[in-house]
Amino acid sequence: MRTKVNFYVIGTVLMCGSYLFSACSKTNLSEEVGSGTEKQKFISLTLTTPVSDKVIIKGSRADSNPIHEEQEWTIKTLNLYMFKKGTGTGDTDYTLFKTQEGITTQAGEAQQGSNTVSDTGNGKYHFTTAITDDMIGGTFKFVLVANDKPANATVNTTTLATFKQSLATATLTENNESADKLVGGAGAEATGFPMTDIAVNANGESEEITIGYSDVSIKASMLRNVARIDFFNYTPNLKITGAKLLNAASHSYLFGTGQGTANEFNPYKGGDLKTYSLNPTAEWSGKFKEGVEYVGPAVGTEDTEANSRQRNTLKHVFYLYEQENTDQSPVQVQIDYTLTDLAGSPDLNKTIVVDLKSAPSTYINPTRNYLYTIKLGDGTKVDNEIKVSTVIVDDWISGGNIDEEINPDEDTSVNGN
């Protein structure tokens, strides 16, 4: 499913008739035909990002505990790539015509045609770019990349087919790097989550946009190129003291194979692909050192699973690139924990390793824009080991119902010691 960061471009495309087109073709675009007055035409984009207070897991987390965090939907920089159609067919027929890179954001309305996106609040942005004379009569595809910049895109040379194979800038190069590296870093200096899409026309029917002498209307739904892993501590006497993601993929494509239609699995398979262990995001790395304990209900409050999930979900412990998950290189989550309150016995320190599986021999391929929650326990205290079930949320954007709970206790997906 796709992350919906929608671009709506204000205006309609009006094509000149054959007689008027002849006259128009001899008139500068900045002049309104027959009037003698200047009137520049624009491509105007209104960006709508998934506002966090509206995107939740229905029936499992309260409205005040969304599955999105601000950094996961914020546009910090935007790059626009215009590919012009030739005489052939397919993406190889589209060649890079013009780029507009390093578009930044600002609060309030930006000047029309500037290299700035207006942050108008409530998850909405507005941006305009001028239609130039050399675009008139051409058919284009408008490709958008947020918070990242593809390498080696060359005007008049790079085809859209080649551009779609662009890699995300962030690459794992050694063990024990922070998961924040894959999403632009952490804190105030973070560059933001890489997101991409190819725009469609106003009615959503085609990526092919023909430019005339009027303002153009296009829209796009941006897609994040990472998956996310959360923990849900559902064991009252369990304290999480550490975590590590094993065999995480080093590289990722910026684009999914089905962008423009659907989110399809598109793992990088280049010869330089490697796997590394990955540390949690900076937020949780620090908290795990102190220990993250189960949070009980308020006095007089019923302790349902839904209520417990709201209190005890550790959001965005890991981000990871999509990858093929196999016996040869299984994606595993190692969790260190302490069992407390053991009827006079000392606390017990243990480690559990969770494979992403839906059955003993069926691996789950981590896929971009999917959210995976590892549920630790069944709501009861334990004496020497925990029960684990893995919950898969297959739509990070809509927050639809959790559609599958996998019980690794019944197979070989969990190893404890």
Side-chain angles (χ1 to χ4, degrees):
M1 307 293 293
R2 311 180 65 196
T3 299
K4 300 187 181 299
V5 181
N6 297 318
F7 289 66
Y8 300 98
V9 185
I10 302 171
T12 58
V13 179
L14 301 177
M15 299 302 296
C16 295
S18 58
Y19 172 79
L20 183 57
F21 185 87
S22 174
C24 289
S25 65
K26 299 177 183 178
T27 306
N28 188 282
L29 179 63
S30 64
E31 298 177 356
E32 194 170 18
V33 178
S35 69
T37 61
E38 292 186 358
K39 189 174 182 181
Q40 174 69 57
K41 302 301 181 184
F42 291 95
I43 301 170
S44 295
L45 300 91
T46 298
L47 285 67
T48 302
T49 61
V51 179
S52 61
D53 62 0
K54 296 180 181 179
V55 186
I56 63 170
I57 298 179
K58 302 172 185 176
S60 61
R61 300 183 191 177
D63 291 358
S64 62
N65 191 25
I67 62 172
H68 291 275
E69 300 294 306
E70 182 176 358
Q71 70 271 16
E72 295 173 343
W73 49 260
T74 296
I75 302 294
K76 292 195 171 184
T77 60
L78 182 69
N79 299 310
L80 174 62
Y81 301 88
M82 307 177 196
F83 288 82
K84 187 174 183 179
K85 181 176 173 55
T87 57
T89 59
D91 288 343
T92 57
D93 185 51
Y94 280 82
T95 303
L96 186 59
F97 175 78
K98 186 181 298 185
T99 67
Q100 191 166 351
E101 297 179 322
I103 305 166
T104 57
T105 61
Q106 71 170 47
E109 192 64 29
Q111 182 178 354
Q112 193 173 41
S114 67
N115 208 48
T116 305
V117 174
S118 302
D119 182 351
T120 58
N122 196 33
K124 293 184 179 181
Y125 304 80
H126 182 251
F127 172 69
T128 59
T129 186
I131 296 174
T132 55
D133 290 344
D134 54 359
M135 298 174 69
I136 299 299
T139 297
F140 296 84
K141 289 190 178 184
F142 294 86
V143 183
L144 300 152
V145 179
N147 303 331
D148 205 339
K149 181 180 176 181
N152 304 321
T154 305
V155 171
N156 297 326
T157 300
T158 301
T159 67
L160 181 54
T162 299
F163 191 77
K164 282 184 174 181
Q165 299 301 305
S166 297
L167 298 182
T169 298
T171 300
L172 299 180
T173 58
E174 60 185 3
N175 288 320
N176 303 325
E177 294 185 274
S178 171
D180 291 312
K181 181 177 181 178
L182 303 182
V183 293
E189 301 303 317
T191 58
F193 280 60
M195 294 181 278
T196 58
D197 197 28
I198 300 172
V200 294
N201 58 11
N203 57 18
E205 294 178 351
S206 177
E207 295 175 352
E208 297 186 340
I209 311 297
T210 300
I211 302 298
Y213 284 89
S214 298
D215 297 327
V216 178
S217 179
I218 60 176
K219 60 183 180 180
S221 296
M222 304 294 281
L223 182 69
R224 288 173 286 222
N225 76 322
V226 294
R228 188 178 106 181
I229 293 179
D230 292 0
F231 292 172
F232 169 31
N233 181 2
Y234 199 31
T235 301
N237 64 325
L238 182 144
K239 177 168 64 176
I240 301 175
T241 58
K244 194 175 293 292
L245 182 67
L246 307 178
N247 298 316
S250 57
H251 294 69
S252 173
Y253 293 116
L254 276 172
F255 293 86
T257 54
Q259 288 212 239
T261 55
N263 176 26
E264 297 177 8
F265 187 53
N266 186 33
Y268 179 70
K269 296 181 180 180
D272 54 345
L273 176 66
K274 296 181 180 180
T275 59
Y276 296 98
S277 60
L278 194 62
N279 284 340
T281 57
E283 174 184 352
W284 291 111
S285 288
K287 290 179 179 179
F288 287 153
K289 290 178 181 179
E290 299 178 358
V292 179
E293 298 183 275
Y294 179 88
V295 178
V299 176
T301 302
E302 183 182 4
D303 194 17
T304 63
E305 181 173 341
N307 291 338
S308 182
R309 184 167 294 165
Q310 180 184 354
R311 299 190 311 272
N312 290 291
T313 293
L314 283 55
K315 296 180 288 186
H316 53 77
V317 178
F318 293 105
Y319 298 109
L320 68 160
Y321 287 149
E322 61 183 0
Q323 65 189 92
E324 291 187 337
N325 192 9
T326 66
D327 279 322
Q328 289 72 38
S329 184
V331 178
Q332 299 175 315
V333 181
Q334 175 181 300
I335 303 171
D336 302 321
Y337 65 95
T338 299
L339 294 178
T340 62
D341 193 18
L342 298 178
S345 298
D347 292 349
L348 184 61
N349 297 318
K350 301 198 74 173
T351 296
I352 194 166
V353 177
V354 181
D355 290 321
L356 293 185
K357 288 183 178 180
S358 59
S361 60
T362 305
Y363 285 90
I364 300 166
N365 292 323
T367 301
R368 67 182 63 209
N369 209 51
Y370 277 48
L371 187 153
Y372 306 91
T373 301
I374 296 176
K375 184 171 108 175
L376 303 171
D378 61 2
T380 61
K381 286 185 177 182
V382 296
D383 295 328
N384 53 17
E385 62 182 9
I386 57 176
K387 297 178 181 179
V388 178
S389 59
T390 300
V391 178
I392 303 170
V393 179
D394 68 354
D395 186 348
W396 191 355
I397 170 63
S398 72
N401 290 325
I402 295 174
D403 60 6
E404 186 174 7
E405 276 205 23
I406 301 158
N407 296 304
D409 295 347
E410 301 174 3
D411 57 43
T412 60
S413 300
V414 176
N415 303 295
N417 56 58

